[in-house]
């Protein structure tokens, strides 16, 4: 779960990364200029004239001398055009001295000018997702929680009278659907997955298994419990009510854009979140429309979810998700019994 302090550290890290990227791009550019100046006197002379004209323009701007501003703007433009022609004649291309930014869209600032003003660049959102993933320690969890370690022996082969199928057979069917989900991950027709059932049946473990498969495909994953997830929705709702757009709204934007979002233990966010259920619905709409996949786990059955969420929210869940019911004996209880039996013998 990401706390506010963790968010602050992530933002500070991102800002340092962009600052370093800009510095690296400028250092590389200055190195090119120095090398060309040593090889071409014409280039060196032009470059010195450009520097002097730039200084004159800066002085004119500071003194608000409009005549000098126009004069040195023209001089600078003319000199830059001459330098560009020289670069082309040397076979280097007109963009040779442009800084080699990691992201040409935002020039390694992390922000771009969009229709709604200053917006977070996609590269910054992706960086936020990557750092959030690193901080979540999910990589370490997935060393154990993966399909190689998934044990079907914990699911009884005795038919459950109420379900008409054994927990073992039911889990086999669920695994088939999970593998279809992974295989068809990029297809718009593939719905998200909603695992529901009592505690200790492997819902979170299954979600982790899927996360491992998706990460192995070089795609991004964010795993949040419902408490952390709804905290982000609350913050988004607050900004919407105040008609306040914050350009560093990386948390919410990263949840919108991550390839796979896993919301664990839906319903555990508690009371007092009803006011942002509308944001939840809009959020699900956005991810579905942009073909971003979501997995939800919950300990509540269908009736329990209906008591927690409105008909509209449940409508979204039924439309966008395949509901997969897990049942059987609590795996943690089975493991505890097995350990006791081993000790007794």
């Amino acid at each position: 779960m990401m706390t506010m302090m963790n968010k602050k550290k992530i933002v500070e890290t991102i800002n340092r990364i962009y600052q370093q990227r800009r510095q690296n791009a400028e250092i590389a550019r200055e190195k090119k200029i120095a090398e060309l100046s040593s090889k071409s006197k014409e280039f060196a002379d032009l470059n010195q004239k450009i520097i002097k004209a730039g200084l004159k323009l800066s002085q004119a701007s500071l003194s608000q001398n409009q005549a000098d501003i126009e004069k040195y703007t023209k001089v600078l433009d003319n000199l830059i055009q001459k330098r560009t022609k020289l670069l082309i004649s040397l076979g280097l291309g007109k963009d040779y001295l442009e800084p080699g930014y990691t992201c040409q869209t935002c020039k390694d600032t992390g922000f771009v000018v969009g229709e709604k003003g200053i917006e977070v660049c996609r590269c910054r959102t992706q960086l936020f997702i990557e750092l959030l993933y690193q901080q979540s320690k999910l990589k370490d969890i997935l060393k154990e929680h993966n399909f190689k370690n998934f044990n079907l022996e914990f699911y009884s082969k005795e038919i459950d009278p109420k379900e008409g199928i054994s927990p073992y057979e039911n889990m086999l069917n669920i695994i088939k659907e999970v593998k279809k989900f992974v295989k068809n991950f990029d297809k718009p027709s593939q719905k998200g997955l909603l695992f529901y059932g009592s505690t200790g049946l492997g819902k979170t473990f299954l979600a982790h298994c899927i996360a491992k498969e998706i990460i192995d495909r070089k795609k991004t994953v964010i795993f949040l419990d419902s408490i952390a997830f709804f905290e982000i929705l609350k913050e988004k709702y607050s900004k919407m009510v105040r008609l306040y757009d914050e350009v560093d709204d990386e948390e919410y934007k990263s949840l919108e854009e991550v390839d796979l979002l896993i919301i664990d233990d839906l319903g555990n966010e508690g009371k007092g979140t009803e006011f942002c259920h509308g944001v939840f619905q809009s959020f699900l709409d956005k991810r579905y429309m942009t073909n971003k996949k979501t997995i939800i786990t919950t300990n509540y059955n269908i009736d329990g979810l209906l008591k927690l969420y409105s008909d509209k929210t449940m409508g979204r869940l039924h439309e966008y998700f395949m509901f997969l019911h897990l049942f059987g004996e609590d795996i943690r209880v089975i493991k505890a019994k097995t350990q006791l039996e081993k000790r007794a013998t």
Side-chain angles (χ1 to χ4, degrees):
M1 173 178 164
M2 183 176 64
T3 64
M4 291 305 293
M5 181 58 68
N6 291 337
K7 176 191 174 183
K8 182 180 178 181
K9 288 181 179 178
I10 288 177
V11 171
E12 289 174 350
T13 300
I14 289 174
N15 290 338
R16 284 198 301 271
I17 289 172
Y18 277 112
Q19 182 181 18
Q20 189 62 57
R21 285 179 179 179
R22 291 193 301 273
Q23 287 178 353
N24 291 344
E26 194 57 39
I27 289 170
R29 180 177 182 273
E30 290 300 321
K31 185 178 179 181
K32 287 180 179 180
I33 290 174
E35 288 177 350
L36 276 175
S37 296
S38 66
K39 295 177 181 178
S40 170
K41 186 177 184 304
E42 184 181 359
F43 176 85
D45 291 341
L46 271 174
N47 200 60
Q48 284 301 313
K49 290 177 181 178
I50 287 171
I51 292 172
K52 289 179 180 179
L55 289 172
K56 291 287 186 181
L57 180 58
S58 297
Q59 291 170 356
S61 298
L62 288 172
S63 62
Q64 296 183 345
N65 187 324
Q66 193 59 41
D68 279 354
I69 289 174
E70 293 177 4
K71 174 185 174 180
Y72 288 110
T73 297
K74 290 179 181 179
V75 170
L76 189 59
D77 287 344
N78 183 50
L79 289 169
I80 290 174
Q81 287 177 17
K82 286 182 178 180
R83 188 177 66 179
T84 300
K85 289 179 181 179
L86 177 59
L87 289 173
I88 294 172
S89 70
L90 293 172
L92 297 174
K94 63 179 182 179
D95 297 326
Y96 181 72
L97 293 180
E98 288 297 315
Y101 295 116
T102 303
C103 178
Q104 291 297 332
T105 302
C106 69
K107 309 299 184 188
D108 287 346
T109 63
F111 303 99
V112 293
V113 178
E115 295 179 358
K116 299 179 180 179
I118 304 298
E119 298 177 359
V120 178
C121 183
R122 183 171 179 79
C123 71
R124 186 177 175 101
T125 300
Q126 289 301 306
L127 188 55
F128 190 90
I129 291 170
E130 290 169 13
L131 291 174
L132 180 56
Y133 167 69
Q134 291 175 18
Q135 194 181 77
S136 71
K137 307 298 182 183
L138 189 59
K139 185 177 181 180
D140 294 332
I141 294 171
L142 300 186
K143 289 178 181 178
E144 295 295 329
H145 289 200
N146 53 65
F147 282 119
K148 288 182 179 179
N149 294 326
F150 194 90
N151 192 348
L152 281 166
E153 292 181 3
F154 292 120
Y155 300 92
S156 172
K157 292 184 179 181
E158 293 184 15
I159 294 177
D160 185 306
K162 183 178 178 181
E163 302 293 339
I165 190 175
S166 71
Y168 178 86
E169 188 69 26
N170 180 61
M171 183 52 66
L172 284 177
N173 293 334
I174 288 175
I175 289 175
K176 287 179 183 178
E177 293 300 333
V178 164
K179 289 185 175 180
K180 284 182 184 177
F181 174 85
V182 173
K183 180 181 178 181
N184 300 324
F185 188 80
D186 293 319
K187 295 183 178 179
S189 59
Q190 176 60 55
K191 287 186 174 184
L193 301 179
L194 190 150
F195 299 117
Y196 71 101
S198 302
T199 59
L201 295 175
K203 299 184 297 295
T204 301
F205 195 103
L206 265 177
H208 284 157
C209 290
I210 297 171
K212 173 69 165 58
E213 297 295 315
I214 299 305
I215 289 170
D216 286 347
R217 293 187 172 201
K218 309 300 180 185
K219 295 186 181 294
T220 55
V221 175
I222 289 179
F223 185 101
L224 286 177
D225 63 38
S226 63
I227 296 174
F229 174 69
F230 272 91
E231 283 300 316
I232 295 172
L233 294 192
K234 287 178 185 178
E235 187 177 350
K236 182 65 175 179
Y237 176 84
S238 177
K239 291 174 183 176
M240 291 169 62
V241 169
R242 290 181 285 129
L243 300 177
Y244 174 61
D245 290 325
E246 188 175 298
V247 295
D248 67 344
D249 194 13
E250 285 106 337
E251 284 177 295
Y252 187 83
K253 195 171 180 64
S254 66
L255 298 190
E256 280 190 330
E257 297 192 8
V258 68
D259 296 318
L260 174 62
L261 173 65
I262 301 173
I263 305 170
D264 193 42
D265 210 2
L266 186 70
N268 193 46
E269 64 274 6
K271 295 181 179 180
T273 61
E274 293 85 358
F275 67 91
C276 60
H277 283 181
V279 180
F280 185 31
Q281 294 165 23
S282 299
F283 175 80
L284 293 176
D285 290 340
K286 176 67 179 294
R287 284 191 59 81
Y288 181 78
M289 295 301 293
T290 54
N291 193 29
K292 301 294 184 182
K293 299 301 187 292
T294 308
I295 291 174
I296 293 174
T297 75
T298 180
N299 294 331
Y300 288 87
N301 57 25
I302 305 300
D303 290 338
L305 289 174
L306 283 168
K307 292 177 182 178
L308 291 172
Y309 303 102
S310 67
D311 290 342
K312 286 185 178 180
T313 301
M314 288 301 297
R316 297 293 204 289
L317 293 176
H318 280 292
E319 182 179 357
Y320 301 153
F321 293 84
M322 175 182 292
F323 281 57
L324 298 173
H325 182 208
L326 282 72
F327 58 88
E329 188 176 356
D330 191 324
I331 293 173
R332 291 168 297 187
V333 174
I334 296 174
K335 287 182 177 180
K337 287 180 180 177
T338 303
Q339 289 178 351
L340 288 173
E341 291 171 358
K342 287 181 177 179
R343 291 174 184 174
T345 57

